[in-house]
């Protein structure tokens, strides 16, 4: 069974959603038969490459609210993330274009390192307040998970994975995604947003039951075609 997850590396809900999916998988009896594939989706592909700016004032301006109100909103999300074991520092964050980070994830996939790199990028950005927007910031993170520095620099210079990132995003839109995280199981069932672990578990159970009709699994109460079908 394949679970595809479209997300961005600077989306706070995406890291929360990742932890909730992991919790659901821990409770899923067929976990060893589930493949999780991380797909690319940029929240703001129009952001200028090579530039960064403080997140707090930018979001306050975007939503037309005072910065102190946005700071309070961020505190609420930090508390929610803490419940999932994550330590966010959102008000101190910076924002930028994440295209290079997504290209790097595609390189990591060729070496079976995408899961490790995905976690490392999210942790670096949200819990260490590190940049993930340029080559010099990304290289040491890639090396930490076992990628070759020379190959990383070459791939991020020749931009060989740019088309793959665009293809991921286009597929997400075709499947009905309008934001992230966006979870799709076997291209049949989906869930938008950082759903609770229980809801994600129900979708896994429903998909497994459909793929294995002779095998008894717990009922997926509350997961109907209207809410799960892609």
């Amino acid at each position: 069974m394949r679970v595809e997850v479209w997300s961005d590396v600077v989306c706070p809900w995406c890291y929360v959603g990742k932890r909730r999916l992991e919790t659901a998988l821990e409770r899923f009896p067929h976990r060893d038969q589930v493949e999780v594939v991380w797909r690319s989706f940029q929240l703001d592909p129009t952001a200028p490459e090579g530039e960064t700016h403080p997140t707090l004032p930018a979001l306050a301006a975007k939503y037309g609210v005072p910065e102190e109100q946005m700071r309070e909103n961020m505190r609420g999300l930090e508390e929610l993330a803490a419940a999932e074991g994550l330590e966010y520092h959102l008000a101190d964050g910076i924002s930028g274009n994440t295209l290079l980070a997504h290209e790097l994830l595609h390189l990591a996939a060729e070496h079976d390192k995408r899961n490790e790199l995905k976690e490392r990028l999210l942790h670096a950005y949200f819990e260490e307040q590190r940049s993930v927007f340029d080559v010099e910031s990304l290289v040491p993170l890639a090396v930490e998970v076992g990628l070759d520095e020379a190959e990383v620099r070459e791939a991020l210079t020749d931009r060989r994975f740019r088309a793959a990132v665009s293809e991921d995003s286009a597929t997400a839109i075709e499947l009905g995604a309008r934001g992230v995280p966006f979870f799709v199981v076997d291209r049949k069932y989906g869930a938008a947003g950082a759903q609770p672990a229980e809801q994600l578990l129900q979708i896994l159970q429903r998909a497994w039951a459909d793929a294995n009709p002779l095998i008894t699994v717990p009922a997926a109460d509350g997961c109907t075609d209207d809410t799960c079908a892609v």
Side-chain angles (χ1 to χ4, degrees):
M1 195 163 74
R2 171 178 283 195
V3 178
E4 296 170 277
V5 188
W6 278 264
S7 64
D8 203 348
V9 296
V10 296
C11 163
W13 288 105
C14 292
Y15 205 3
V16 170
K18 183 176 186 293
R19 283 292 182 268
R20 290 177 175 177
L21 175 61
E22 290 164 352
T23 297
L25 288 170
E26 287 174 1
R27 298 165 56 190
F28 187 57
H30 309 288
R31 169 64 184 91
D32 60 345
Q33 298 183 59
V34 177
E35 177 190 16
V36 178
V37 179
W38 299 99
R39 301 294 190 193
S40 298
F41 191 100
Q42 288 187 271
L43 287 173
D44 186 9
T46 66
E49 289 191 58
E51 299 180 14
T52 60
H53 57 268
T55 301
L56 175 60
L59 284 181
K62 177 180 179 179
Y63 292 106
V65 299
E67 288 190 17
E68 189 52 43
Q69 180 179 335
M70 181 56 64
R71 188 184 301 273
E72 187 62 30
N73 293 344
M74 288 178 164
R75 290 193 192 103
L77 184 47
E78 287 171 348
E79 293 175 2
L80 186 147
E84 306 296 336
L86 302 172
E87 184 180 348
Y88 282 4
H89 304 278
L90 299 178
D92 300 323
I94 59 172
S95 296
N97 191 296
T98 57
L99 181 56
L100 279 175
H102 286 293
E103 292 178 28
L104 181 58
L105 284 164
H106 279 275
L107 172 64
E110 291 193 345
H111 297 276
D112 199 26
K113 295 285 186 180
R114 178 147 49 182
N115 289 344
E116 293 90 338
L117 183 61
K118 182 70 172 184
E119 176 66 26
R120 189 65 191 97
L121 292 176
L122 289 165
H123 179 76
Y125 182 72
F126 286 108
E127 301 193 279
E128 298 176 342
Q129 294 80 61
R130 291 172 64 170
S131 172
V132 292
F133 306 110
D134 59 83
V135 173
E136 295 307 318
S137 298
L138 291 168
V139 165
L141 297 174
V143 171
E144 279 187 37
V145 302
L147 296 179
D148 178 73
E149 179 176 349
E151 184 180 12
V152 169
R153 290 186 179 278
E154 181 181 2
L156 296 183
T157 299
D158 65 27
R159 312 304 295 269
R160 71 187 72 162
F161 295 105
R162 183 191 292 241
V165 175
S166 297
E167 183 178 346
D168 271 359
S169 298
T171 300
I173 293 172
E174 289 175 2
L175 292 173
R178 295 297 178 266
V180 286
F182 185 60
F183 304 89
V184 178
V185 183
D186 287 341
R187 293 290 173 99
K188 187 174 182 181
Y189 298 101
Q195 298 289 334
E198 180 61 33
Q199 179 70 13
L200 293 173
L201 177 59
Q202 290 174 358
I203 295 172
L204 292 172
Q205 292 169 338
R206 175 72 175 275
W208 180 267
D210 283 356
N212 302 273
L214 299 182
I215 299 177
T216 301
V217 298
D221 295 335
C223 184
T224 68
D225 289 341
D226 289 337
T227 59
C228 295
V230 174

